[in-house]
């Protein structure tokens, strides 16, 4: 680590910048074992997280297509799935503070038969991970309401869970468990006020990875064991299936960072998170404040993956293939994306650097950087409802 400290640079080339964040993560982990010895090396290398304004958040989302790819694919699938319904209810689990929904609201406003009434329900707590916003989720709901009124779309916004709007913290295991259990208690038709004549949409945007993944009744000794006995994450998906949603859309990063082995996580993490560092290098100067802040957010992720264990390690990302298997085990069937959605996503990627691309893997759409998988998008229906015939390719 002393050698790397002299080589790595937070303002160097992409590899040096990525290495500097891995070094900080290793120092953070080592300092828990021998804090005095590591103190001088640690210096001021603390990952700082700044609260963004709504305008700054919009710029953050637009910087690279990491989030917009999922917005575009999901909204297109949702729009098609809710055709013919006069009421739409979106149960939104996302880390980007409802930035996805203005585009959908705008599309619904232009429906030839007129817009449906739209209800969005969000949990009151979220993982304490970037991006962080300087307004409450209730304020976000008010802003969406103003926009919906301007677009003449009837709108309602609800918050479920803890009324104090606390966040999940990476340092409080009891709070993490309590708030997750509170969320589970709210996932029922009565608490959500589900209605028979509305199309229920469940939206997961970079969110499933933050759910606890311990097996009920004990710890899994291998990845294979996780499929034999339900984990809390699997139980959550089973509860979502029981809500009888019209469509479920899932978007997340396509890498397996849920291994128990530290060396495995380090290797996978390094071979995956070079992508945003390399992408930012193509169009932003080395000393750009916006670039440094974005990389700092990635550094927060790296520190949690490497520096923490147990429930304090909240970054527990599964690959797209593993997530898809979990969802199938919960009783869902995948829906392929239509060519119109593919065309919309390709149009979005044309607005960004030429290194970005898209490919199909089974029923997934996958965002790529220089041919390497970065983000996946999937759409699903439950097998216990009348939506089995829903086909986004029609």
């Amino acid at each position: 680590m002393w050698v790397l400290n002299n080589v790595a640079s937070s303002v160097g080339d992409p590899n040096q910048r990525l290495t500097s964040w891995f070094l900080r993560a290793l120092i953070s982990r080592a300092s828990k074992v021998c804090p005095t010895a590591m103190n001088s090396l640690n210096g001021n290398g603390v990952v700082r997280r700044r609260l963004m304004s709504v305008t700054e958040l919009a710029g953050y989302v637009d910087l690279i297509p990491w989030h917009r790819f999922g917005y575009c694919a999901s909204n297109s699938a949702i729009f098609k799935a809710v055709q013919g319904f006069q009421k739409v209810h979106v149960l939104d689990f996302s880390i980007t503070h409802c930035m996805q929904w203005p585009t959908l609201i705008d599309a619904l406003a232009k429906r030839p038969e007129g817009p449906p009434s739209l209800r969005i329900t969000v949990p009151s707590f979220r993982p304490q991970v970037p991006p962080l916003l300087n307004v409450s989720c209730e304020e976000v709901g008010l802003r969406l309401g103003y926009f919906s009124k301007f677009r003449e779309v009837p709108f309602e916004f609800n918050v479920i869970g803890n009324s104090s709007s606390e966040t999940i913290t990476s340092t409080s295991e009891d709070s993490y468990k309590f708030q997750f259990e509170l969320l589970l208690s709210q996932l029922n038709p009565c608490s959500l006020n589900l209605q028979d004549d509305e199309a229920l949409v469940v939206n997961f945007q970079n969110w499933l990875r933050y759910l606890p993944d311990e097996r009920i009744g004990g710890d899994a000794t291998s990845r294979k064991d996780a499929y034999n006995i339900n984990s809390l994450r699997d139980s959550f998906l089973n509860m979502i299936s029981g809500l009888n949603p019209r469509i479920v859309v899932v978007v997340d990063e396509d890498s397996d960072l849920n291994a128990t082995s530290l060396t495995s996580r380090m290797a996978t993490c390094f071979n995956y998170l070079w992508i945003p560092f390399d992408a930012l290098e193509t169009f932003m100067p080395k000393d750009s404040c916006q670039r440094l802040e974005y990389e700092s957010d990635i550094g927060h992720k790296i520190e949690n993956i490497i520096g923490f264990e147990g429930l304090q390690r909240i970054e527990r990302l599964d690959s797209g293939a593993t997530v898809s298997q979990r969802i199938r085990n919960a009783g869902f069937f995948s829906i392929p994306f239509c060519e119109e959605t593919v065309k919309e996503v390709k149009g979005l990627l044309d607005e960004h650097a030429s290194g970005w691309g898209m490919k199909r893997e089974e029923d997934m759409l996958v965002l790529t950087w220089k041919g390497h998988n970065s983000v996946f998008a999937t759409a699903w229906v439950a097998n216990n409802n009348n939506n089995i015939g829903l086909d986004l390719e029609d």
Side-chain angles (χ1 to χ4, degrees), residues 269-286:
C269 188
F270 194 93
N271 290 330
Y272 173 66
L273 286 177
W274 68 273
I275 294 175
F277 283 87
D278 192 59
L280 292 171
E281 175 79 3
T282 63
F283 70 100
M284 301 194 79
K286 296 184 182 300

Side-chain angles (χ1 to χ4, degrees), residues 58-116:
Y60 178 97
V61 167
D62 288 342
L63 195 59
I64 60 176
W66 209 261
H67 295 292
R68 292 184 69 204
F69 163 80
Y71 295 171
C72 185
S74 297
N75 283 349
S76 179
I78 292 169
F79 182 82
K80 188 171 182 63
V82 302
Q83 285 181 355
F85 284 85
Q86 293 305 307
K87 294 182 179 180
V88 177
H89 183 183
V90 177
L91 183 55
D92 182 32
F93 299 94
S94 172
I95 66 167
T96 51
H97 310 279
C98 294
M99 285 296 296
Q100 174 178 349
W101 303 125
T103 303
L104 179 65
I105 292 170
D106 189 62
L108 293 174
K110 299 174 182 176
R111 286 203 324 187
E113 68 271 31

Side-chain angles (χ1 to χ4, degrees), residues 5 42 50 109 112 136 185 231 245 253 315 320 342-343 361 364 379:
N5 192 46
N42 192 22
R50 184 174 63 88
S136 67
S185 71
S231 70
E253 298 171 9
E315 291 283 350
V342 173
K343 183 178 179 181
E361 288 190 356
M364 292 193 300

Side-chain angles (χ1 to χ4, degrees), residues 211-223:
L211 296 179
D213 198 29
E214 294 97 347
R215 289 193 309 164
I216 295 174
D219 295 328
T221 56
S222 69
R223 178 58 57 88

